[in-house]
Amino acid sequence: MAQTGYHPQTILIKTGSVKKYFGRLLGWILFLWVRVEVFPENNPTNALVPRKPTLYVLADRGLSDLLVLSGTCRRYQLPDPVETIPIKALSQYHSVYSVASRNPVIDWFQRRGKQSQMLAEFLQAAKEDADFELQLVPVSVFWGRPLARQKHWLQVLFADTWSLAGRTRRFFTLLIHGRNTRLIYSEAIDFGKLAVDLEYDATALHDFLVNLLGQQREATFGPQITSHKQLSLEVIDDPRVQQTIAELDGDTKKLKARARRYCREIFADCTQLTIEVMLRLLRAFWNRYYAGVDVYNADSLRQAALDHQLVYLPCHRSHVDYLLLSYVIYSENLAIPYIAAGNNLDIPIIGRILRGGGAFFIRRSFKDKPLYSAVMRAYIGRLVSMGMPLEYFIEGGRSRSGRMLKPKFGMLGMTLEAHILHAQKPLAFVPVYLGYEKLMEGKSYLGELYGAKKKRESTLGALGTIFRLKGHFGKVTVSFGEPIKIAGILEQNCSDWANRAGEIEQRPDWYQQSLVQLSERVMHGINRACVINPVNAVATILLATRRQSIDIDELISQAALQRRLIENVPTLASIRVAGEVDREQIERMYRQKLLHINRHELGDIVYLTPQDSVLMGYYRNNILHSLIIPALIACCFTNSQSSSRARLLQKVEFLYPFLQSELQLEWSGASLSGLIDECLQCMIDEELLFANSRGISRPPRSNREFVQLIRLAQVAQPILARYYMTFILLWQTSRAPLDDDELERRCYLLAQKITMLHGINSPDFFDRLLFRDFINTMLESGYLARNPQGQLIFTSARDYVSLDLRNLLSLEVRGSILALINH
């Protein structure tokens, strides 16, 4: 295809002073109306190498695109695209190249009969000069964001699309969408290295640039969307749906009609109008109720979006998660994903709005609905084959305790299956950590944690909740983990997986292993992307004090210690600590009614009421994984003045599998030993512990560091108390063994009683799911086995477990558990 750049004889703005200033006048007039949002993050200088000759690459030859680029470059003091290339052999060319042809019709007939003279001369110059230096900077200019099916003829006619625009259309596009213009600077590319890689082929270079700009456009707009009607036909014609219809007893026409009803029940129905309205409402919502949204690690995400289909997998904290993540993804200039939502949200008005914004609805369970299952799998298959970004919550439901729930394999398995069967492009899963300083659902969670029945969603209930919102909810955090490229996992388990797609229905071992590994890496990725806000830090400290109260200066000091224990451990480097805990932050939490302050002449006392403690437990549990290893090390000195390093490592490693299962921890083997050593060294540096000839010792009881060490140990004490309580119950019933359900029930009742007697305001202390997880881990680790009647019995390892748990607990907690069990 014949292509041309901006050549001195064809470009409107020449270096001659009259036309140059006339061009600037046109740019000034343009910017009276046009408003441009620049990426990355309004700081494009990150994309360029300073003082290196630059060639900008644009997709279109439109004058408006050039004026926008030129004006933006001057604003950020970047090389001006209308200036000539500062290389002697190429000084006749301006610093901008367009991949768009001058006459698409002629070029279509000529196909690849010509090459760009401009690119050919640049390549020749690079070939002849060993010191040739030039950076290519692809730049995308988007007028409006057509994110979905558009119904209004003006939007259809004038929105930025995949096709080239004529002058008249360009004028109206500028008029209608000029206030919503985006300019994206891609990463700079070394021209000399690229020329070598492409063997100085001008056609290959041009195609490379076309593909690069096309990837950016698709990452921003998403793929072309099939109409709802066409998509329904494709899903019903899917071989699996047809096979299911054939296997079911009944009239074929009625079964197809039922399949169409399932399509209407499930499918998203994105409209541009809905998305635009929702984005404006959300912007007002964040400004009204939140202090801002902090976004981390978006750079790697934008890079992955260029050549991968993305599947966003956030932890699930709140109903706001759906809206928050889509809003952030849009703001980061990426295509809004289709979101899997529970069909409990498909309620009048609210359901229609969510569906129009990209939500598709899925039943909680459909094992006994083979046709529904086939339609759902076919729908996911079509979305994956189109390259549509997806989003769903790997935990399934919202966590009521703040801990991450065990991963569910439903949607994850359907996505992996669809990729193996239908994928047109590589697939990457993106773990996402969501953090709140104050939850909107706090009060409803409080009731549910204490056993109240979850309220059924309704339109009136949802609207009532919105209208009853009061106060301010602080900052929100969205932190993207490193994208997990599924090809690597599949290759690891089956080198020729692409040729074995026909095995998927039988769920072969390599597929199951890939699914399990993927789920684990996603959970670990969410933990790694954790951002600890001041509320998380304060909650962790207050709940580790005897009466949930502490002097304000001690609180600030302990928070600073916690921060150093995370930041100075290399293995925890991906975890961020956002914001210092100081008096200003504590006063803000007081105004938000997260905690209370007792004013006193000798120093203010910060404390929690019983209700505060429950809600603050939620925020502590969000970050528990980040401090659990230092806390477990501190527990080793609860009843011991000193310990050998080998014995300490042995204790921590022995108990680690239970914590790993409960908190989704990723370390094992050498990586765990390395982490323990790093935490130990950091605690020694902080004088919480001392290394001597006997091994490791704690400070004297009179030292301030001893108090800090015990506070740190208290972070892990409630978890260890649950473990010990379960173990003692098993030991006492060894002559009359219990089955899983009965043991769970007794543990639950005992833990509930302990919380009442000792004022432990933490419902997750008697969470039955946590007891069940501990029992399962003991079975997997070989500490428990089942007799022929299915009852739980100890193996020979029980005494070792007992010894380790008993020595890590305080005498008071241990005595209370034994007294209640023996009562």
Side-chain angles (χ1 to χ4, degrees), residues 583-738:
R583 288 178 176 268
E584 183 181 347
Q585 289 281 5
I586 295 169
E587 290 289 345
R588 181 177 62 82
M589 293 179 215
Y590 169 71
R591 292 192 298 272
Q592 288 179 293
K593 300 181 181 178
L594 290 167
L595 48 74
H596 296 269
I597 300 177
N598 191 343
R599 310 291 179 181
H600 196 277
E601 290 183 17
L602 299 180
D604 294 344
I605 303 296
V606 182
Y607 69 96
L608 300 175
T609 66
Q611 186 175 9
D612 296 332
S613 297
V614 176
L615 292 176
M616 291 296 263
Y618 186 98
Y619 306 116
R620 175 203 59 194
N621 291 345
N622 289 171
I623 66 158
L624 202 51
H625 65 281
S626 65
L627 284 168
I628 196 63
I629 298 300
L632 194 56
I633 292 171
C635 286
C636 294
F637 296 90
T638 301
N639 299 309
S640 302
Q641 175 67 36
S642 63
S643 171
S644 69
R645 183 182 290 263
R647 179 61 177 144
L648 189 149
L649 289 172
Q650 192 177 35
K651 284 183 179 181
V652 175
E653 289 175 349
F654 207 78
L655 289 169
Y656 178 75
F658 306 110
L659 297 166
Q660 182 180 34
S661 177
E662 181 172 330
L663 300 176
Q664 314 294 330
L665 304 180
E666 65 178 290
W667 307 288
S668 60
S671 64
L672 174 61
S673 299
L675 173 60
I676 295 170
D677 284 335
E678 290 174 3
C679 291
L680 259 176
Q681 187 57 54
C682 187
M683 294 170 76
I684 291 170
D685 293 342
E686 293 292 336
E687 299 185 350
L688 297 176
L689 297 172
F690 297 95
N692 51 43
S693 58
R694 293 174 297 174
I696 310 294
S697 299
R698 72 186 186 194
R701 289 180 177 274
S702 58
N703 284 23
R704 180 188 182 194
E705 286 79 12
F706 174 80
V707 177
Q708 291 181 318
L709 181 69
I710 296 305
R711 285 197 194 114
L712 182 60
Q714 287 298 320
V715 173
Q717 287 280 309
I719 299 176
L720 300 182
R722 268 192 288 106
Y723 295 169
Y724 184 68
M725 183 168 49
T726 308
F727 175 83
I728 294 299
L729 271 173
L730 278 164
W731 178 77
Q732 285 207 334
T733 58
S734 57
R735 292 186 179 179
L738 306 174

Side-chain angles (χ1 to χ4, degrees), residues 735-740 785-793:
R735 292 186 179 179
L738 306 174
D739 61 21
D740 299 43
R786 286 193 174 91
N787 64 19
Q789 291 74 39
Q791 297 163 325
L792 299 169
I793 56 173

Side-chain angles (χ1 to χ4, degrees), residues 45-300:
T45 53
N46 288 341
L48 280 74
V49 179
R51 295 181 297 279
K52 189 173 182 179
T54 302
L55 178 66
Y56 299 100
V57 182
L58 285 170
D60 203 342
R61 293 179 52 80
L63 175 60
S64 54
D65 286 11
L66 179 60
L67 292 174
V68 164
L69 174 60
S70 182
T72 304
C73 288
R74 286 197 300 272
R75 186 196 314 167
Y76 291 99
Q77 298 181 333
L78 302 175
D80 195 327
V82 301
E83 297 292 343
T84 55
I85 294 286
I87 298 174
K88 186 175 181 181
L90 303 170
S91 59
Q92 73 271 30
Y93 290 107
H94 293 271
S95 301
V96 62
Y97 174 78
S98 169
V99 300
S101 61
R102 189 187 303 184
N103 191 324
V105 177
I106 294 175
D107 287 340
W108 185 84
F109 281 107
Q110 292 179 342
R111 307 300 284 178
R112 298 184 178 274
K114 296 181 180 179
Q115 298 173 353
S116 168
Q117 182 66 27
M118 181 176 179
L119 285 186
E121 290 188 25
F122 273 62
L123 289 169
Q124 187 62 31
K127 192 173 184 178
E128 293 174 354
D129 185 356
D131 298 323
F132 184 86
E133 280 200 348
L134 180 71
Q135 60 184 341
L136 290 176
V137 181
V139 180
S140 300
V141 181
F142 299 135
W143 303 83
R145 295 256 326 251
L147 306 171
R149 180 167 51 84
Q150 301 170 43
K151 294 182 178 179
H152 198 284
W153 67 272
L154 280 175
Q155 290 177 322
V156 174
L157 186 58
F158 300 121
D160 204 340
T161 69
W162 289 88
S163 59
L164 296 173
R167 288 185 177 86
T168 303
R169 176 170 174 165
R170 173 65 67 181
F171 171 77
F172 283 104
T173 296
L174 188 152
L175 191 65
I176 296 170
H177 296 286
R179 308 294 286 178
N180 186 26
T181 303
R182 294 190 167 211
L183 187 147
I184 304 171
Y185 290 88
S186 297
E187 290 294 322
I189 303 169
D190 184 275
F191 185 88
K193 183 177 182 303
L194 182 62
V196 172
D197 292 343
L198 298 177
E199 299 179 345
Y200 300 97
D201 186 328
T203 301
L205 175 57
H206 174 81
D207 291 344
F208 172 83
L209 296 174
V210 169
N211 183 57
L212 196 63
L213 289 169
Q215 287 178 337
Q216 181 64 71
R217 181 174 287 270
E218 184 166 342
T220 304
F221 291 169
Q224 296 279 30
I225 299 174
T226 305
S227 70
H228 194 288
K229 182 178 180 180
Q230 180 62 32
L231 189 57
S232 295
L233 292 173
E234 291 173 0
V235 165
I236 293 172
D237 287 340
D238 184 274
R240 284 172 300 180
V241 175
Q242 290 295 316
Q243 182 180 348
T244 303
I245 290 173
E247 291 174 352
L248 290 173
D249 292 331
D251 184 85
T252 301
K253 288 185 178 179
K254 289 183 179 180
L255 289 172
K256 286 187 176 181
R258 188 192 305 171
R260 284 191 289 272
R261 287 199 302 272
Y262 288 152
C263 290
R264 290 192 294 271
E265 176 187 335
I266 295 169
F267 288 9
D269 189 21
C270 266
T271 65
Q272 185 72 19
L273 178 61
T274 304
I275 290 175
E276 292 289 350
V277 170
M278 286 181 70
L279 288 169
R280 283 162 175 75
L281 290 175
L282 284 173
R283 194 173 289 119
F285 181 78
W286 303 132
N287 292 336
R288 168 65 180 84
Y289 292 106
Y290 289 93
V293 180
D294 290 336
V295 181
Y296 298 92
N297 308 324
D299 290 342
S300 61

Side-chain angles (χ1 to χ4, degrees), residues 465-613:
T465 299
I466 294 171
F467 290 127
R468 285 195 301 271
L469 285 177
K470 293 180 181 178
H472 206 265
F473 295 88
K475 279 194 172 184
V476 185
T477 300
V478 178
S479 179
F480 296 102
E482 194 65 26
I484 301 165
K485 297 173 182 178
I486 191 59
I489 295 176
L490 289 169
E491 287 285 343
Q492 181 182 343
N493 290 294
C494 181
S495 58
D496 63 337
W497 63 270
N499 299 320
R500 298 175 66 179
E503 301 176 7
I504 289 299
E505 290 296 329
Q506 286 72 46
R507 299 295 185 263
D509 289 344
W510 61 267
Y511 167 81
Q512 297 287 5
Q513 290 164 2
S514 299
L515 187 58
V516 171
Q517 288 177 18
L518 173 61
S519 67
E520 289 175 348
R521 288 187 59 181
V522 169
M523 302 304 277
H524 298 161
I526 294 172
N527 272 344
R528 247 184 262 133
C530 170
V531 178
I532 301 173
N533 61 46
V535 174
N536 299 138
V538 168
T540 304
I541 296 164
L542 282 171
L543 292 172
T545 58
R546 183 174 294 271
R547 298 176 60 189
Q548 284 82 60
S549 60
I550 189 173
D551 177 84
I552 191 168
D553 291 327
E554 281 296 305
L555 174 58
I556 293 170
S557 175
Q558 189 79 17
L561 171 66
Q562 282 186 180
R563 181 181 190 127
R564 293 193 297 273
L565 287 176
I566 293 170
E567 292 184 336
N568 294 336
V569 174
T571 301
L572 303 178
S574 64
I575 296 175
R576 295 174 181 265
V577 183
E580 297 280 352
V581 175
D582 52 24
R583 288 178 176 268
E584 183 181 347
Q585 289 281 5
I586 295 169
E587 290 289 345
R588 181 177 62 82
M589 293 179 215
Y590 169 71
R591 292 192 298 272
Q592 288 179 293
K593 300 181 181 178
L594 290 167
L595 48 74
H596 296 269
I597 300 177
N598 191 343
R599 310 291 179 181
H600 196 277
E601 290 183 17
L602 299 180
D604 294 344
I605 303 296
V606 182
Y607 69 96
L608 300 175
T609 66
Q611 186 175 9
D612 296 332
S613 297

